[in-house]
């Protein structure tokens, strides 16, 4: 592939970087695009894996059909089969009508399964079947259906380790991994940092109608040598924050260190395990941590309480009660719709669990009204990082510990560039 084509692709998709491994990934994408081969994209979180399936789709004969990207890690385990493969009416509580899944909806096109390593084993069996024969069965149905879809999957997990632990099917791995494309982490492409910085600072300057931020020589060195655990997403988020907050547009190394300190102290998340607590923190700081932890526990309790109330009302629903209190109900649980057949109400967006809605609403209320959103956010990032570290990066476990849904955790990881 001529390098000119890579240039075109970079321009078309807004991809910045001159690193050899990045060019190799783009080159491979163009080469496999016209085939129907399934592709596995590997790379850490935030490296830009999402560009690969888009390129593959654009340069394939499927480009006029649907392209759909699904974050497998962000969909609750209980609904993932229905989301991907669809369901029949009445196949579970809340399935008030038949629903097409993504595999049916994107027939003829390309599906990008991001975080494929997070799929439950039962879903992996269904996916394997689609890969082998194009066949699938809707949840609650016995009818075999066919779809013609190109699958590009991605993961930032060590999938071989997942296979060894029995969490990922080996046969599925080989089936997905016909061609592997690796996207390099930012710390291996230090030379690209200055180009990415320039692009993002210009983008945010335009977005916020402000002059672009620039770096001193020393601060550029600092950024180039930073390990970037959140990769390009983290760099982008950092530039956005600085662009908005700082009035001085040339960013010194001291200023940068306020945003990305060299050593982030690892403080034990759990109250019961004090072994890792760094006791150099002042009493005031520890007390603040403790209060934030209580606040998060309270939010979790509130979520649980709302969930119980929701279930109670749902099970003993009196239409009059719901109608009379509709405003309050919608405030707490989100938009409701009536199911006229059995007078039971349901959330309008059935893919949202009540606890998802609750958490986000409570969080929004708290940040808007009662607390300084910046310090709460900082604490939240800290808690999330600690929970992920404690659970070896396992989002499901970390979310459970934090008392939030996997979906919310996923959203937050993206939002904060973690
Ligand atoms: N080379 C690049 N040039 C410009 N922007 C980039 C580049 N790589 C990544 N980005 C930007 O960084 C952000 C994160 O990229 P992306 O969502 O593709 O990461 P990812 O590898 O899919 O992460 P995850 O595994 O967490 O889903 C996006 O906003 C993307 O546009």
């Amino acid at each position: 592939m001529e390098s000119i084509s890579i240039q075109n692709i970079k321009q078309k998709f807004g991809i910045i970087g001159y690193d050899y491994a990045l060019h190799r990934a783009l080159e491979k994408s163009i080469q496999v695009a016209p085939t129907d081969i399934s592709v596995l994209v590997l790379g850490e979180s935030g490296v830009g894996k999402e560009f690969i399936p888009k390129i593959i789709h654009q340069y394939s004969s499927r480009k006029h059909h649907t392209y759909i990207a699904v974050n497998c890690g962000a969909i609750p385990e209980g609904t993932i089969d229905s989301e991907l493969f669809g369901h029949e009416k009445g196949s579970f509580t809340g399935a008030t009508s038949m629903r097409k899944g993504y595999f049916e909806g994107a027939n003829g096109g390309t599906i990008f399964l991001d975080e494929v390593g997070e799929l439950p084993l039962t879903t992996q069996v269904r996916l394997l079947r689609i890969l082998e024969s194009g066949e699938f069965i809707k949840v609650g149905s016995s009818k075999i259906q066919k779809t013609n879809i190109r699958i590009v999957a991605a993961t930032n997990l060590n999938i071989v380790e997942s296979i060894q632990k029995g969490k990922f099917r080996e046969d599925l791995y080989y089936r997905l991994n016909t061609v592997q494309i690796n996207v390099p982490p930012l710390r291996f492409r230090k030379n690209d940092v200055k180009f990415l910085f320039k692009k993002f600072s210009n983008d945010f300057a335009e977005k916020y109608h402000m002059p672009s931020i620039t770096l001193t020589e020393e601060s550029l060195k600092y950024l180039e040598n930073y390990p970037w655990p959140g990769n390009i997403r983290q760099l982008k988020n950092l530039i956005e924050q600085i662009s908005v907050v700082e009035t001085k547009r040339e960013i010194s190394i001291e200023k940068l260190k306020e945003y990305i300190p060299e050593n982030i102290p690892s403080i034990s998340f759990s109250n019961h395990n004090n072994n890792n607590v760094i006791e150099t923190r002042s009493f005031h700081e520890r007390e603040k941590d403790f209060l934030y932890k209580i606040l998060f526990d309270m939010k979790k309790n509130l979520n649980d309480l709302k969930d119980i109330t929701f279930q109670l009302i749902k099970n003993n629903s009196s239409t009059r009660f719901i109608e009379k209190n509709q405003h309050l109900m919608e405030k707490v649980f989100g938009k409701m719709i009536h199911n006229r057949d059995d007078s039971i109400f349901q959330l309008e967006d059935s893919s949202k669990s009540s606890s998802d809605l609750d958490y986000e609403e409570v969080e929004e209320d708290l940040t808007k009204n009662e607390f300084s959103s910046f310090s709460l956010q900082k604490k939240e990032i800290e808690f999330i990082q600690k929970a992920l570290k404690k659970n070896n990066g396992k989002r499901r476990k970390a979310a459970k510990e934090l008392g939030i849904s996997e979906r919310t955790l996923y959203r937050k990881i993206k939002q904060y560039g973690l």
Side-chain angles (χ1 to χ4, degrees):
M1 182 59 49
E2 298 292 317
S3 66
I4 184 79
S5 298
I6 292 181
Q7 285 312 322
N8 290 346
I9 282 175
K10 280 168 42 180
Q11 211 169 2
K12 184 166 175 176
F13 290 88
I15 301 171
I16 304 295
Y18 298 92
D19 175 80
Y20 171 77
L22 174 71
H23 277 200
R24 182 77 194 109
L26 300 179
E27 196 177 73
K28 253 182 152 179
S29 309
I30 311 162
Q31 277 165 346
V32 295
T35 72
D36 260 346
I37 291 173
S38 47
V39 175
L40 185 62
V41 188
L42 298 180
E44 293 174 14
S45 182
V47 289
K49 294 191 291 298
E50 258 191 75
F51 288 124
I52 306 294
K54 285 183 186 157
I55 295 170
I56 291 176
H57 179 70
Q58 263 310 305
Y59 288 87
S60 76
S61 57
R62 297 171 179 269
K63 70 173 178 189
H64 297 300
H65 295 272
T66 310
Y67 168 82
I68 187 163
V70 184
N71 268 313
C72 302
I75 304 173
E77 201 168 323
T79 52
I80 187 116
D81 282 354
S82 149
E83 296 266 334
L84 293 177
F85 309 102
H87 63 245
E88 286 298 342
K89 182 177 175 178
S91 51
F92 53 86
T93 320
T96 50
S97 57
M98 186 281 283
R99 180 186 180 281
K100 274 189 190 177
Y102 300 133
F103 278 101
E104 191 176 352
N107 190 13
T110 308
I111 190 164
F112 173 45
L113 298 176
D114 200 2
E115 301 295 341
V116 75
E118 305 269 354
L119 281 181
L121 282 164
T122 47
T123 313
Q124 292 179 26
V125 178
R126 286 172 178 265
L127 179 59
L128 186 64
R129 185 168 181 182
I130 289 217
L131 275 159
E132 283 178 340
S133 61
E135 288 177 355
F136 69 98
I137 301 176
K138 280 200 179 81
V139 175
S141 167
S142 53
K143 197 175 111 200
I144 297 172
Q145 290 182 251
K146 274 216 145 204
T147 186
N148 167 13
I149 202 162
R150 166 86 173 272
I151 298 176
V152 181
T155 183
N156 51 36
L157 292 178
N158 181 339
I159 212 97
V160 175
E161 202 176 277
S162 301
I163 295 171
Q164 281 161 358
K165 287 184 181 160
K167 292 187 174 156
F168 202 82
R169 291 181 65 103
E170 197 171 356
D171 44 9
L172 178 60
Y173 170 67
Y174 289 122
R175 205 70 186 69
L176 286 172
N177 197 24
T178 320
V179 168
Q180 192 178 101
I181 295 181
N182 289 282
V183 186
L186 185 53
R187 66 181 170 283
F188 292 166
R189 38 207 261 222
K190 288 178 197 270
N191 286 338
D192 284 348
V193 169
K194 54 180 168 302
F195 302 114
L196 287 160
F197 185 92
K198 197 159 193 300
K199 158 145 173 80
F200 295 141
S201 58
N202 287 343
D203 286 354
F204 291 122
E206 202 179 309
K207 181 171 173 189
Y208 296 113
H209 309 290
M210 290 166 134
S212 308
I213 54 167
T214 56
L215 294 169
T216 62
E217 228 170 88
E218 208 185 8
S219 47
L220 173 63
K221 281 260 153 349
Y222 184 73
L223 287 191
E224 284 175 340
N225 290 312
Y226 189 73
W228 297 110
N231 289 293
I232 298 171
R233 181 180 296 116
Q234 188 188 3
L235 176 65
K236 193 173 173 178
N237 287 353
L238 171 82
I239 297 169
E240 181 164 26
Q241 262 187 65
I242 298 181
S243 299
V244 174
V245 174
E246 296 305 326
T247 43
K248 194 160 183 285
R249 304 313 275 173
E250 190 183 60
I251 309 304
S252 65
I253 186 161
E254 291 74 27
K255 203 32 93 190
L256 277 182
K257 284 182 182 171
E258 285 177 22
Y259 287 86
I260 42 169
E262 279 155 303
N263 297 308
I264 306 157
S266 71
I267 307 158
S268 170
F269 183 71
S270 160
N271 281 340
H272 310 295
N273 171 13
N274 284 327
N275 299 339
N276 304 328
V277 174
I278 294 174
E279 288 305 334
T280 49
R281 289 176 305 134
S282 68
F283 173 75
H284 176 66
E285 275 177 310
R286 273 180 281 144
E287 193 174 49
K288 232 168 60 185
D289 265 351
F290 185 63
L291 289 173
Y292 276 115
K293 175 80 177 87
I294 291 175
L295 176 67
F296 275 85
D297 283 349
M298 276 168 62
K299 283 164 85 174
K300 181 176 181 306
N301 288 345
L302 194 58
N303 282 344
D304 290 346
L305 203 62
K306 279 190 185 178
D307 236 321
I308 294 167
T309 322
F310 180 82
Q311 292 306 331
L312 274 175
I313 299 168
K314 195 173 158 189
N315 295 337
N316 306 298
S317 63
S318 139
T319 320
R320 265 193 57 220
F321 174 84
I322 295 161
E323 274 168 8
K324 234 173 107 184
N325 297 285
Q326 191 156 357
H327 178 69
L328 183 66
M329 303 274 289
E330 288 191 356
K331 204 170 165 223
V332 178
F333 297 115
K335 195 115 186 92
M336 308 267 176
I337 51 169
H338 276 279
N339 176 352
R340 293 216 171 271
D341 303 339
D342 54 13
S343 333
I344 289 177
F345 68 86
Q346 62 180 86
L347 298 173
E348 190 173 67
D349 178 357
S350 59
S351 68
K352 280 191 174 185
S353 75
S354 57
S355 44
D356 259 331
L357 289 169
D358 300 345
Y359 179 80
E360 280 164 24
E361 250 192 24
V362 173
E363 179 192 43
E364 230 170 68
D365 281 353
L366 284 172
T367 44
K368 263 192 215 146
N369 306 331
E370 294 169 41
F371 294 88
S372 141
S373 65
F374 186 63
S375 53
L376 187 60
Q377 252 183 30
K378 260 173 67 178
K379 267 302 149 202
E380 189 169 53
I381 292 170
E382 221 172 87
F383 280 149
I384 291 171
Q385 283 173 330
K386 278 180 238 162
L388 284 169
K389 196 168 169 197
K390 195 176 155 203
N391 292 290
N392 298 323
K394 298 274 175 303
R395 291 179 187 170
R396 198 162 293 160
K397 284 189 183 159
K400 200 166 170 209
E401 176 164 330
L402 289 163
I404 59 179
S405 71
E406 269 177 79
R407 239 164 68 122
T408 305
L409 177 60
Y410 200 84
R411 189 176 53 76
K412 288 192 174 297
I413 289 172
K414 286 227 145 146
Q415 179 186 346
Y416 298 135
L418 300 176

